[in-house]
Amino acid sequence: MSVAPVAITGVGVVAPNGHSTDVYWKATREGTLHLERISREGCADMPLAVAGLVRDFDPGLTVEEKFLVQTDRFTHFALAAADQALSDAALPDLPEFAVGVATASGSGGGEFGQRELQNLWGRGPGFVGPYQSIAWFYAASTGQVSIRGGFKGPCAVLADDEAGGLDAIAHGARSIRRGATAMVVGAAEAPIAPYSMVCQLGYRELSLAADPARAYLPFDSEACGFAPAEGGAMLVLENAEAARARGATVRGLVAGHGQTFTGTRSWAESRHGLAAAIRIALSEAGAAPEEVDVVFADALAVPEADHAEVLAIADALGPHAGAVPVTAPKSGIGRAYCGGPVLDVASAVLAMEHGVVPPTPGVFAASHDIDLVTGGARRAEPRTALVLSRGLMGCNSALVIRRGEDRG
């Protein structure tokens, strides 16, 4: 059963290839590689050698000191991206209970938590800061964005694996349909700190390659796992009719969402769960498979997982699957856990605005039966995008985004 689409009126990005939407899109469109060797203190000698790092980011330029001291780097990214999205949306003054916040997080604030735990065990309880109890927590970004903005509408945090990035957007869209005027939604992560990196070493899908150019190659014959990344994106959602009535630019429409769970026994099993999520999302959007103009893939870069994703797309889209362009811009910046699929949504919105499908950096020929966009951006006129995400713990999510009606 189809539902009313929800407008995206604001987009904000903090990523390894740009601290603003315009810079991010330029790099994404050009397909430049922004993976690098990890050289941060305490990280350089670990088996995980390559990641997408957010360089030269000064949160103090946009976030007040009273918020900086009580938050981790992952929340700094979310606050900065939320500022961009809110500025882009140009929301009017609204009642405090009219606006809500929904974010997702895979690991919370590891850098802040590690520092305070080192103080605890190295110097004693008296040296642990008072914000340890909140800064590391998964919900910190939702809390701080809402407090800083004075937003007292429906708020939530989704801690349901990497697919939570798409699920947070869908949760925000449902809140709009239930009566919220606006929602600030998205996800940002900061997993490149010693403790966080040690935790990630338990993921068998993690790439341990030392060469940034070969560390993350989804759908490639040399795929060896994914490179992680910092960063993420935030969006502003509104009721589409109300947004148009106030003269807002509708940058895109959240049209449909589907979610399933297939567990962790094997990536082959994600085929059926992901295909089911796609079908649910298309049904909710009232879209036929042949209406999908571009797929932003989950792109794990594990051969079994990539194969399962290709089969899932074929299962859900039928004969159209062989004709639809598939892309994975995240291969150029790394996989930012919950923030990754939200960056893909930002890319989908921008791709539809600019009439171009960005490439899959570093990959030059797909080893699977899909029309993978490689080498350079492809001119197109996409009106409907399908964004896919799977989590390492077995969650599958699909989101259908339509082109904004005020652009084109």
Side-chain angles (χ1 to χ4, degrees):
M1 180 181 294
S2 62
V3 298
V6 170
I8 300 170
T9 57
V11 180
V13 169
V14 175
N17 61 349
H19 304 170
S20 70
T21 303
D22 290 343
V23 176
Y24 167 78
W25 174 241
K26 181 177 185 296
T28 299
R29 185 184 60 216
E30 293 174 354
T32 52
L33 186 70
H34 292 265
L35 296 174
E36 59 181 289
R37 292 290 299 241
I38 302 169
S39 58
R40 289 182 182 164
E41 183 178 357
C43 301
D45 296 325
M46 292 192 184
L48 172 58
V50 172
L53 306 178
V54 176
R55 294 285 189 184
D56 303 320
F57 173 74
D58 182 358
L61 295 177
T62 57
V63 182
E64 302 88 338
E65 179 65 20
K66 67 178 181 179
F67 290 102
L68 292 180
V69 298
Q70 56 186 287
T71 49
D72 179 80
R73 185 172 172 84
F74 90 110
T75 299
H76 299 166
F77 294 152
L79 289 167
D83 273 355
Q84 294 176 37
L86 288 162
S87 175
D88 188 28
L91 285 176
D93 290 335
L94 294 168
E96 59 185 3
F97 293 102
V99 184
V101 182
T103 69
S105 176
S107 59
E111 185 177 89
F112 194 108
Q114 175 173 331
R115 182 179 69 243
E116 297 305 315
L117 287 173
Q118 286 178 319
N119 286 338
L120 173 65
W121 295 110
R123 305 174 69 186
F127 293 90
V128 177
Y131 301 116
Q132 164 67 350
S133 61
I134 60 171
W136 70 270
F137 193 45
Y138 301 91
S141 293
T142 289
Q144 297 291 2
V145 170
S146 63
I147 291 169
R148 184 164 176 259
F151 305 138
K152 298 183 179 180
C155 290
V157 60
L158 288 89
D160 68 331
D161 215 349
E162 292 178 68
L166 295 187
D167 298 340
I169 297 171
H171 183 91
R174 288 192 292 271
S175 296
I176 295 293
R177 295 184 188 113
R178 292 168 181 161
T181 301
M183 291 289 295
V184 184
V185 301
E189 304 271 27
I192 311 303
Y195 173 74
S196 300
M197 288 171 61
V198 168
C199 292
Q200 291 170 76
L201 292 175
Y203 298 147
R204 66 183 187 275
E205 298 86 359
L206 191 71
S207 172
L208 302 181
D211 180 0
R214 311 307 298 164
Y216 187 18
L217 300 171
F219 306 109
D220 191 284
S221 59
E222 296 183 24
C224 59
F226 73 91
E230 300 181 307
M234 298 291 286
L235 313 173
V236 173
L237 306 183
E238 299 181 62
N239 175 280
E241 292 184 7
R244 295 187 191 101
R246 74 173 182 86
T249 298
V250 176
R251 302 196 66 173
L253 296 163
V254 178
H257 171 254
Q259 181 194 53
T260 62
F261 179 76
T262 46
T264 59
R265 285 180 296 183
S266 74
W267 279 108
E269 295 186 13
S270 71
R271 169 186 179 177
H272 304 296
L274 185 60
I278 295 171
R279 293 189 187 101
I280 295 167
L282 290 174
S283 175
E284 193 171 272
E290 55 270 20
E291 291 182 62
V292 175
D293 298 313
V294 60
V295 175
F296 285 79
D298 175 62
L300 192 60
V302 172
E304 183 186 31
D306 288 351
H307 184 58
E309 183 171 17
V310 170
L311 293 176
I313 294 169
D315 291 344
L317 300 187
H320 182 58
V324 65
V326 177
T327 187
K330 59 170 69 76
S331 69
I333 59 174
R335 191 178 175 93
Y337 295 102
C338 286
V342 189
L343 285 167
D344 281 342
V345 171
S347 296
V349 168
L350 292 159
M352 289 187 282
E353 285 183 353
H354 294 276
V356 64
V357 176
T360 305
V363 179
F364 298 99
S367 61
H368 298 269
D369 189 19
I370 53 171
D371 180 16
L372 190 70
V373 180
T374 62
R378 184 183 299 181
R379 297 300 307 179
E381 291 295 330
R383 298 189 63 86
T384 301
L386 177 65
V387 182
L388 305 180
S389 181
R390 293 171 299 178
L392 299 177
M393 299 297 108
C395 292
N396 311 290
S397 192
L399 197 70
V400 176
I401 304 293
R402 300 274 200 182
R403 188 168 76 175
E405 296 166 0
D406 298 325
R407 296 196 175 203

